[in-house]
Amino acid sequence: MISTLRRGLLVLLATLPLMGNAVADTSAHALVQDTTNRLLADLAANKEKYKHDPQDFYTALNTIVGPVVDAEGISKSIMTVKYSRKATPAQMQTFQENFKKGLFQFYGNALLEYNNQGIVVDPAKDESGDRTSVGMTVKGSNGAVYPVSYTLEKINGEWKLRNVVINGINIGKLFRDQFADAMQRNGNDLDKTINGWAGEVAKAKQATEEKQAQ
């Protein structure tokens, strides 16, 4: 049985690309809604190729998702002010790349299990400010329905993803706690924590799975 977190991250990766190819003046809700069919069509067309070439799949995910994620903002949030202020620009850039790479490599295959069981975007909310949320429900292969809530911020006229809460699991908080724990275990060595981030994502995944199983 797929664990709760793994199913949740399947939802995350299945729906994050919905926000690909953002353009100025496009509402956050429309950005999610209007690209759903394009995503699923692309996945259906390339699923077998991606199964045989995982690296090509990770590259495709980065191409689609990378430009619309506020990687800098998310990275600073995960590191918190305590550590991000100590990081050099090079360290911040490395962490941004490792953050995306770790997420795609560990959970990318879960996306290939998604067979268009059902995605419903909630009605649009107020987007008059620079911050909003877009809700969604996704039906898993086991018939369960998972609520998803995206937090988006408008940066330079375009909506960018800042956080995701999946079935009650706050991904930003999960990774923030894991980073702080890793820094303590690594003796506050930023390079060691940044370069080992893929392993930290795996530990966070395992810890949450064990918690959900209790």
Side-chain angles (χ1 to χ4, degrees):
M1 180 180 293
I2 304 175
S3 70
T4 299
L5 178 61
R6 189 163 180 264
R7 289 194 300 265
L9 283 162
L10 182 156
V11 173
L12 169 65
L13 286 175
T15 54
L16 269 176
L18 301 179
M19 290 173 280
N21 300 325
V23 295
D25 300 325
T26 298
S27 73
H29 184 270
L31 198 58
V32 173
Q33 182 73 73
D34 295 346
T35 57
T36 300
N37 291 337
R38 178 170 54 83
L39 163 72
L40 298 178
D42 178 75
L43 181 60
N46 296 294
K47 181 177 288 190
E48 291 306 314
K49 182 181 86 169
Y50 292 154
K51 284 182 178 179
H52 292 92
D53 190 353
Q55 188 56 53
D56 190 39
F57 183 41
Y58 304 145
T59 299
L61 282 173
N62 188 51
T63 299
I64 296 170
V65 179
V68 297
V69 173
D70 181 14
E72 180 179 0
I74 294 175
S75 295
K76 287 181 178 179
S77 175
I78 292 173
M79 295 177 75
T80 71
V81 173
K82 178 179 180 181
Y83 300 117
S84 63
R85 283 181 174 176
K86 300 176 181 179
T88 65
Q91 286 174 320
M92 288 300 302
Q93 182 62 38
T94 298
F95 182 66
Q96 290 174 32
E97 294 303 318
N98 287 349
F99 164 73
K100 292 186 291 184
K101 185 185 300 182
L103 195 63
F104 297 155
Q105 289 182 341
F106 274 93
Y107 304 114
N109 288 340
L111 177 57
L112 298 178
E113 298 175 12
Y114 183 75
N115 292 311
N116 196 21
Q117 293 90 352
I119 293 177
V120 179
V121 181
D122 295 347
K125 297 181 179 180
D126 179 24
E127 297 185 15
S128 58
D130 291 331
R131 189 180 181 92
T132 191
S133 63
V134 176
M136 177 184 291
T137 55
V138 178
K139 181 181 289 187
S141 59
N142 62 348
V145 176
Y146 304 98
V148 181
S149 179
Y150 298 104
T151 298
L152 300 99
E153 289 191 4
K154 186 171 284 187
I155 301 174
N156 297 324
E158 295 184 356
W159 288 106
K160 299 282 187 178
L161 180 72
R162 282 299 306 270
N163 193 26
V164 185
V165 177
I166 306 166
N167 202 31
I169 301 172
N170 187 317
I171 300 300
K173 183 179 185 303
L174 175 69
F175 288 154
R176 190 160 52 247
D177 291 346
Q178 192 64 27
F179 190 92
D181 180 65
M183 285 295 290
Q184 289 185 348
R185 285 186 281 103
N186 293 331
N188 288 324
D189 188 327
L190 263 176
D191 283 328
K192 187 174 182 179
T193 300
I194 290 171
N195 293 329
W197 182 245
E200 297 303 329
V201 171
K203 291 177 183 177
K205 172 178 175 289
Q206 181 179 2
T208 304
E209 288 177 347
E210 292 173 352
K211 182 178 179 181
Q212 292 289 332
Q214 293 177 354

